[in-house]
Amino acid sequence: MHAVVDSLAMIGVSYVMGFLFYGFYRQFNARVQRRWGPTIWQNLFDNMKFFFKSETLIHGPMFFFGPMIIMAGAFTTVLFVPFLKDSDWLQGFSQYGNLILIIYLLVVGPLGNALAVGSSGNPFGVMGVTRGLTRLMGLEVPFFLGLAMVMLQHETASVHAIMAAQDSLAHWGIVTNPIAFCVILLPFIGSQHGAPFDVVGAPVEVYAGPRVEFGGRLLGVLMTQRMMMSIAKLVLLVDLFLGGATNILVLIAKAFSLFLLTTVISMVFPRLKTEQAVDFFWKVPLGLGVLGVILTVWLPSWSA
Amino acid sequence: MYHKTQCEGFQCEQAMLEVPGEAESIRQGVLERLVSWMRHRSLFVLAYGTGCGAIEMRPLMTSRFDAERFGIVGAATPRQADVLIVSGYLALKTLRRVIRSYEQMQEPKYVIALGSCTINGGMYWDSYNTIKQVDRYIPVDIFVNGCMPRPEALIEGFVALQGRIKNGEKGGYHHYREHIDWYKANQRKVLGDQIPPTYTCDWYHAGGVV
């Protein structure tokens, strides 16, 4: 019973945080552009509207199951990331999983996306998926290298143990291992579809890319998934680098500060082309990552 | 609609014209009212720009007019759009594309016709290959007249449409469903063999509405 309530609470918390964060993003973006912008609830309205629209498209069963696979990936990722430390609540099934499992679950989304878009047969969707998978090549390598560095540093793959090791500000991952944080931060923006790396869903180039065929309810499912997945990744970074959180308010504050950082970065940089993005990922974050691995492995006294 | 019973004069005439007519509204429960309230706050726009209308539509998204404060944003494809803006005259060729785009949109969907050309042909009243009244071919919810109307007028039209959505009035798409044969006959009259294939609209018949 506790597990069921806890899981539902985690899904609810990540959904609410998701639409509020993205609502804030849109308003903040508008203020930077000297507009008033929509209300902070705008993403909730958009999402609910899509859930109550009709869906008349038929592209075979895979077109329907693709979003469900993506959604299942988002739910399981949320449930395997511990939201709080030293607490019985908002844990989900995180004691049965570890960082390596979470890395696997992060790939479920792009897989389902490719399956659904492939069965729709829309050329713009296929273009979007091609761009997405090319970009994935660029961003996954530094992202996983950064996570590997965190695992090496703490000599464990358990998110709980990594959180427990960061008991004070001086032991936060961002202080003890700033290189890993920098290595992860840029691919993290890419995996959130943030602005310098948002070539996949470019609205006027490839007509929303992978989402081109989705309208109505399935688009609502995809929107929900994106918001929840973003929150899961934000919370994961909070767990790994900002020492986790002991209660929900601290969690929101830390996740929000991280979100603000990525938002500000993506607000001031224009969109990169696909090959520029891959080049960038393989030069800057990956170079930094290799340097970090050398420092972590061969000079353990430095990083510890 | 207009009777000189309550008052007289130009302003009175305008006021009476702005009173909403006896539009047929759907009986709404609590959930439907909540949904239509959210729906009126979130309109994704498919802007079909023909000629000068497109110039007046673009500033809507800029800092000066900022339609996003009403929840109005551009949609990438017809599938994701709620509102189709037909911004100006339609030639026979573009009419086919507009019909196709309209039928691809998911319900509920609305149409705003922008400019005099969509109402009576405007300055193209005697052109040989433009259509004169858009609402004979697709159902129009709101007309915004002018040649060209300013972005403020378009925002006014959007707010009026939002009011109708919020009150749960029947949209034009209901009318299109119920009178699909009339619309298709009109389309066939001007397009002839070039009419969009039936698979773009045959699902209107699937629910047994017609």
Side-chain angles (χ1 to χ4, degrees):
Chain A
M1 190 59 204
H2 178 270
V4 174
V5 175
D6 196 35
S7 308
L8 289 177
M10 282 177 92
I11 289 167
V13 164
S14 59
Y15 181 69
V16 172
M17 277 171 76
F19 74 71
L20 286 180
F21 277 23
Y22 274 101
F24 170 81
Y25 172 80
R26 286 174 68 172
Q27 198 170 46
F28 189 56
N29 201 5
R31 296 297 160 88
V32 168
Q33 296 169 359
R34 296 198 176 179
R35 297 186 282 125
W36 279 108
T39 63
I40 203 166
W41 304 96
Q42 187 63 49
N43 268 50
L44 176 68
F45 300 156
D46 287 352
N47 201 0
M48 284 298 147
K49 176 200 75 178
F50 278 125
F51 273 128
F52 287 98
K53 284 193 87 165
S54 64
E55 179 74 64
T56 49
L57 296 179
I58 300 159
H59 281 305
M62 209 57 225
F63 186 72
F64 175 76
F65 284 122
M68 300 305 140
I69 293 173
I70 307 173
M71 195 69 195
F75 276 169
T76 42
T77 315
V78 165
L79 292 181
F80 278 107
V81 175
F83 276 37
L84 299 179
K85 75 173 173 185
D86 308 330
S87 167
D88 285 341
W89 289 98
L90 296 184
Q91 299 300 312
F93 301 99
S94 57
Q95 70 269 28
Y96 304 113
N98 57 21
L99 206 46
I100 294 171
L101 177 72
I102 294 171
I103 288 174
Y104 270 104
L105 290 175
L106 288 180
V107 192
V108 172
L111 179 74
N113 214 346
L115 286 173
V117 174
S119 69
S120 84
N122 191 310
F124 288 116
V126 175
M127 266 167 74
V129 167
T130 314
R131 288 174 171 209
L133 293 180
T134 316
R135 188 191 63 176
L136 203 66
M137 258 186 353
L139 69 84
E140 295 283 84
V141 178
F143 192 65
F144 294 155
L145 200 61
L147 291 180
M149 278 160 66
V150 174
M151 288 190 260
L152 267 178
Q153 180 201 359
H154 294 281
E155 296 178 343
T156 173
S158 159
V159 184
H160 285 283
I162 293 174
M163 270 202 289
Q166 308 172 43
D167 48 358
S168 66
L169 185 59
H171 295 106
W172 280 13
I174 193 169
V175 178
T176 57
N177 204 349
I179 293 180
F181 182 70
C182 293
V183 168
I184 285 188
L185 185 68
L186 292 167
F188 173 68
I189 296 173
S191 70
Q192 304 273 49
H193 310 288
F197 315 113
D198 61 344
V199 75
V200 175
V204 282
E205 286 175 38
V206 286
Y207 303 98
R211 297 175 177 204
V212 62
E213 275 296 294
F214 295 103
R217 287 178 202 131
L218 292 180
L219 189 66
V221 169
L222 289 184
M223 257 182 96
T224 313
Q225 170 269 339
R226 179 171 161 187
M227 294 192 285
M228 289 176 63
M229 202 70 179
S230 301
I231 293 304
K233 288 177 194 164
L234 274 172
V235 172
L236 181 65
L237 285 209
V238 167
D239 288 351
L240 295 182
F241 291 104
L242 300 182
T246 45
N247 64 46
I248 186 84
L249 293 177
V250 178
L251 177 78
I252 291 173
K254 285 181 176 177
F256 184 73
S257 56
L258 198 59
F259 184 75
L260 204 58
L261 178 65
T262 59
T263 305
V264 171
I265 291 175
S266 51
M267 215 163 272
V268 291
F269 287 104
R271 182 185 299 149
L272 294 174
K273 289 195 274 186
T274 316
E275 60 269 22
Q276 283 173 335
V278 174
D279 277 358
F280 176 80
F281 280 128
W282 279 2
K283 279 175 190 159
V284 180
L286 191 61
L288 209 60
V290 171
L291 193 73
V293 168
I294 292 170
L295 289 177
T296 314
V297 175
W298 281 285
L299 298 170
S301 58
W302 183 85
S303 66
Chain B
M1 191 176 181
Y2 172 58
H3 303 289
K4 279 186 184 173
T5 51
Q6 295 167 2
C7 53
E8 283 188 31
F10 168 73
Q11 287 181 339
C12 169
E13 193 171 329
Q14 189 64 31
M16 289 183 75
L17 280 175
E18 284 174 2
V19 171
E22 301 86 34
E24 199 179 352
S25 61
I26 306 167
R27 182 181 291 276
Q28 285 187 309
V30 179
L31 183 66
E32 278 101 351
R33 254 183 292 168
L34 189 67
V35 170
S36 46
W37 193 85
M38 285 183 174
R39 198 170 272 157
H40 101 281
R41 287 295 305 172
S42 159
L43 294 178
F44 281 39
V45 174
L46 180 71
Y48 196 91
T50 57
C52 46
I55 310 296
E56 302 294 328
M57 240 172 355
R58 299 293 177 254
L60 219 60
M61 300 300 157
T62 58
S63 308
R64 186 180 174 94
F65 298 104
D66 185 26
E68 203 185 359
R69 69 201 146 109
F70 299 108
I72 298 163
V73 290
T77 75
R79 305 225 189 269
Q80 298 162 6
D82 304 302
V83 181
L84 171 68
I85 301 186
V86 181
S87 66
Y89 73 94
L90 289 180
L92 294 181
K93 259 187 174 176
T94 47
L95 176 65
R96 286 180 62 208
R97 274 70 178 180
V98 166
I99 292 168
R100 190 78 191 267
S101 304
Y102 179 71
E103 285 173 354
Q104 280 183 352
M105 287 162 67
Q106 308 291 318
E107 291 180 356
K109 54 190 175 183
Y110 307 93
V111 179
I112 293 182
L114 186 63
S116 303
C117 312
T118 56
I119 301 174
N120 56 8
M123 61 187 288
Y124 301 95
W125 61 277
D126 60 349
S127 169
Y128 67 97
N129 69 340
T130 59
I131 56 159
K132 308 297 180 286
Q133 289 172 302
V134 174
D135 63 348
R136 290 174 62 85
Y137 309 98
I138 52 173
V140 177
D141 289 279
I142 296 278
F143 281 108
V144 181
N145 70 346
C147 182
M148 281 306 292
R150 296 264 309 155
E152 290 94 334
L154 186 51
I155 288 181
E156 189 79 26
F158 266 118
V159 172
L161 179 64
Q162 283 181 332
R164 289 170 64 165
I165 297 171
K166 191 174 154 189
N167 293 334
E169 291 176 16
K170 270 191 172 183
Y173 63 97
H174 282 110
H175 199 261
Y176 196 63
R177 264 181 186 277
E178 287 157 12
H179 301 93
I180 183 75
D181 293 333
W182 184 75
Y183 282 110
K184 283 292 158 195
N186 285 343
Q187 291 167 11
R188 187 165 286 111
K189 202 180 288 176
V190 292
L191 295 176
D193 295 339
Q194 303 290 313
I195 191 166
T198 48
Y199 62 78
T200 61
C201 69
D202 57 358
W203 44 272
Y204 281 107
H205 297 279
V209 179
V210 179

